[in-house]
């Protein structure tokens, strides 16, 4: 589980530049990983992010980005020392961008997006850890009806709380042997 402020790049067309800067907004994501090998994790990430921005001559816009990503991550617990888990990964999946404003019609756009990410987790208890994740989400665009498109992905920086599910050996005979 992670929360962050995505830094979203807006590139407006037709002479409507972004006014007041780009602040990003809150983000929430949930990441699930399964490690079939010591160094490799299969991942599923669900994410949602929000942003407010203003284009010249228009009322403020709200951008909501949400979707899911599947991927693979190189990760190793207790590397290079006990309690630390660095990771580096790539992901791909559907991400929707929904843009609304009082001055133009709302628009939703489905994107096939991909991301690269990396980070560190430090285990502070047997099943709990804290860390950070940095992700760059590519290929995610939002439509501002009749005005421009915006980059709804960009850089997402997250602080994370991690719950580790312990692996237990399977006993197919139910203790009969």
């Amino acid at each position: 589980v992670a929360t962050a402020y995505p830094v979203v790049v807006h590139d407006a067309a037709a002479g409507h530049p972004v006014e007041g800067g780009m602040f990003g907004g809150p983000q929430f994501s949930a990441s699930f990983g399964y490690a079939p090998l010591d160094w490799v994790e299969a991942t599923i990430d669900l994410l949602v992010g929000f942003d407010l921005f203003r284009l010249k001559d228009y009322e403020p816009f709200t951008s909501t980005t949400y979707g899911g990503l599947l991927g693979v991550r190189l990760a190793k617990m207790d590397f290079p020392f006990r309690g630390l888990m660095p990771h580096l990964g790539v992901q791909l999946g559907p991400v929707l961008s929904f843009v609304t404003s009082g001055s133009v019609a709302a628009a939703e756009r489905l994107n096939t997006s991909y991301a690269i990410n990396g980070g560190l987790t430090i285990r502070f208890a047997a099943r709990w850890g804290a860390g950070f994740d940095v992700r760059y989400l590519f290929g995610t665009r939002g439509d501002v009806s009749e005005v421009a498109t915006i980059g709804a992905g960009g850089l997402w920086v997250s602080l994370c709380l991690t719950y580790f599910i312990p692996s237990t050996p399977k006993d197919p005979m139910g203790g009969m042997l």
Side-chain angles (χ1 to χ4, degrees):
V1 176
T3 58
Y5 287 92
V7 179
V8 179
V9 178
H10 303 286
D11 36 295
H16 301 285
V18 174
E19 289 185 335
M22 300 176 295
F23 300 107
Q27 174 254 341
F28 174 82
S29 62
S31 182
F32 307 93
Y34 171 72
L37 304 170
D38 278 349
W39 282 86
V40 179
E41 258 185 2
T43 61
I44 299 173
D45 285 14
L46 304 175
L47 56 96
V48 62
F50 304 94
D51 190 16
L52 299 172
F53 64 97
R54 186 179 188 94
L55 297 179
K56 185 176 180 182
D57 301 326
Y58 288 91
E59 291 182 34
F61 290 87
T62 301
S63 172
T64 305
T65 303
Y66 54 98
L69 301 170
L70 299 175
V72 64
R73 186 166 46 203
L74 298 175
K76 176 73 171 152
M77 192 69 221
D78 298 329
F79 176 81
F81 55 85
R82 186 165 177 77
L84 185 67
M85 184 179 76
H87 69 270
L88 183 63
V90 295
Q91 297 172 303
L92 174 74
V95 176
L96 291 100
S97 177
F98 183 67
V99 180
T100 60
S101 174
S103 52
V104 297
E108 185 173 50
R109 183 175 182 170
L110 175 62
N111 302 275
T112 299
S113 301
Y114 59 98
I116 56 171
N117 68 317
L120 291 170
T121 299
I122 297 173
R123 185 177 268 184
F124 60 81
R127 295 193 177 178
W128 291 97
F132 73 94
D133 181 78
V134 177
R135 170 188 324 253
Y136 199 91
L137 189 59
F138 295 92
T140 305
R141 311 278 315 152
D143 291 321
V144 178
S145 300
E146 303 171 11
V147 179
T149 63
I150 62 162
L155 184 64
W156 298 48
V157 180
S158 304
L159 298 176
C160 309
L161 180 63
T162 304
Y163 179 76
F164 293 97
I165 300 171
S167 62
T168 55
K170 304 284 186 223
D171 183 2
M173 299 300 289
M176 294 176 64
L177 294 177

